């Protein structure tokens, strides 16, 4: 399992050398990650296509938060298959989290965490989903023996709400991995549930432009929800298109640099990738705190 204690102050100079400006930037990122929140904040990760590094990036951000924040952090794995937040966060893969009467009627934090997996970082993980045909990103996919107990389909918005809403208020931050979602079915529900949506895409220009156009539509649907586009360079495409998109003024673009360790938890992550993930985490916390929307199910 990769050690993601990448936000520690002792690594400032390892990331930036002796450059004072870089050290100040990382110090600012640390403060943003640790800042207080008025109520539980929800950060949603989703993508329009598979293979973008959405789940791995969601797990990395959730891990940074769990290591750096004093309060509890919840990772919600609502994607199908075994390459999802639960795996990348380092928790045992044993299928969806079993229902719990204590969680469903939680009035205290110990009830809210009943039955949740605990990652090495201290991240609590809730796995939501089902096996066999149903709603979500893969409605026609049937269960098969080789998939075992892994959720075979993404959680529907209703399943997500039933599992998350009773316990979300007991966590400082909730990071959700919605996985691949149809822009015509579930993307609006993702925005309704979150303070900020990280729309993950490939790092090529066409993928970034498609994500930006959908980000505009999401913001129009869920006024007050922040939406950022996160191009993840999983193939070594390069960051030229992402850097150009960063200059656009209507949607914030936060690129993640190329590193095979983005989607391979067995590899050691480069300083550039660790730094990028720290800054991405800080930006998402800032956006979630600044968001004006009250997500569906969030306490008033």
């Amino acid at each position: 399992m990769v050690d993601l204690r990448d936000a520690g102050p002792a690594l400032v100079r390892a990331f930036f050398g002796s450059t004072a400006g870089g050290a100040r930037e990382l110090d600012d990122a640390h403060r943003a990650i640790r800042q207080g929140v008025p109520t539980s904040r929800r950060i949603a990760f989703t993508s329009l296509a598979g293979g973008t590094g959405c789940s791995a990036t969601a797990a990395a951000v959730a891990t940074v938060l769990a290591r750096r924040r004093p309060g509890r952090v919840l990772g919600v794995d609502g994607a199908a298959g075994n390459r999802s937040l639960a795996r990348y966060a380092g928790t045992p893969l044993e299928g969806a989290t079993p229902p719990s009467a204590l969680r469903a009627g939680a009035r205290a934090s110990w009830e809210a965490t009943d039955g949740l997996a605990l990652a090495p970082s201290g991240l609590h993980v809730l796995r939501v989903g089902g096996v066999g045909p149903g709603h979500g990103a893969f409605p026609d996919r049937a269960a098969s023996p080789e998939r075992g107990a892994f959720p075979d389909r993404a959680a529907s918005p209703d399943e997500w709400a039933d599992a998350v809403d009773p316990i979300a208020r007991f966590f400082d931050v909730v990071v959700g991995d919605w996985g691949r979602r149809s822009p015509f079915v579930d993307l609006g529900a993702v925005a309704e549930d979150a303070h900020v949506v990280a729309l993950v895409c490939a790092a090529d220009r066409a993928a970034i432009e498609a994500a930006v156009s959908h980000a505009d539509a999401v913001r129009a649907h869920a006024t007050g929800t922040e939406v950022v586009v996160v191009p993840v360079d999983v193939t070594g495409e390069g960051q030229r298109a992402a850097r150009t998109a960063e200059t656009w003024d209507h949607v914030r673009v936060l690129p993640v640099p190329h590193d095979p360790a983005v989607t391979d938890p067995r590899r050691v992550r480069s300083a550039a990738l660790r730094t990028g993930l720290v800054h991405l985490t800080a930006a998402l916390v800032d956006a979630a705190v600044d968001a004006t929307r009250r997500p569906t199910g969030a306490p008033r």
Side-chain angles (χ1 to χ4, degrees):
M1 177 63 193
V2 173
D3 185 353
L4 286 180
R5 286 173 289 190
D6 45 22
L11 294 179
V12 168
R13 285 175 175 76
F15 290 152
F16 290 106
S18 59
T19 304
R24 283 195 298 271
E25 288 180 4
L26 196 56
D27 283 342
D28 290 342
H30 298 329
R31 283 191 289 271
I33 289 169
R34 293 191 294 264
Q35 69 181 289
V37 293
T39 59
S40 178
R41 300 281 104 173
R42 300 194 192 191
I43 300 171
F45 281 80
T46 189
S47 63
L48 303 175
T52 61
C54 177
S55 296
T57 306
V61 167
T63 299
V64 170
L65 287 168
R67 290 197 184 279
R68 300 304 301 165
R69 292 191 63 84
R72 293 182 182 83
V73 178
L74 174 66
V76 183
D77 183 346
N82 65 347
R83 291 183 176 270
S84 56
L85 183 147
R87 176 200 176 204
Y88 290 119
T91 61
L93 291 173
E94 300 175 350
T97 303
S100 164
L102 286 175
R103 288 201 312 273
R107 295 187 178 182
S109 57
W110 69 270
E111 295 174 320
T113 58
D114 179 63
L116 300 184
L118 187 65
S121 63
L123 176 72
H124 290 84
V125 178
L126 169 66
R127 198 152 203 225
V128 189
V131 177
H135 300 292
F138 308 99
D140 299 322
R141 180 183 289 177
S144 59
E146 62 270 19
R147 293 194 183 97
F150 301 140
D152 186 67
R153 60 172 176 80
S156 71
D158 286 344
E159 289 171 328
W160 185 287
D162 289 345
V164 176
D165 288 351
I167 63 173
R169 68 185 184 276
F170 295 101
F171 296 87
D172 262 11
V173 184
V174 178
V175 179
D177 172 21
W178 288 79
R180 182 180 126 198
R181 294 283 162 165
S182 165
F184 307 108
V185 180
D186 288 344
L187 205 53
V190 174
E192 292 281 355
D193 185 77
H195 292 94
V196 58
V197 175
L199 189 54
V200 181
C201 65
D204 62 275
R205 185 175 182 86
I208 293 171
E209 289 179 345
V212 167
S213 67
H214 282 93
D216 288 337
V218 170
R219 289 192 304 180
H221 173 80
T223 305
T225 295
E226 298 290 333
V227 184
V228 300
V229 171
V230 181
V232 178
D233 188 10
V234 295
T235 62
E237 185 81 24
Q239 292 189 289
R240 178 175 296 181
R243 294 305 182 196
T244 299
E246 281 185 295
T247 65
W248 300 345
D249 58 6
H250 57 297
V251 174
R252 190 170 187 187
V253 177
L254 301 169
V256 174
H258 175 66
D259 188 324
V262 168
T263 55
D264 188 347
R266 297 168 299 179
R267 292 177 178 263
V268 175
R269 297 186 168 183
S270 67
L273 177 58
R274 296 196 304 268
T275 303
L277 292 171
V278 168
H279 283 291
L280 173 61
T281 303
L284 291 173
V285 173
D286 275 338
V289 170
D290 291 343
T292 59
R293 183 176 183 79
R294 183 181 69 86
T296 303
R300 294 183 181 274

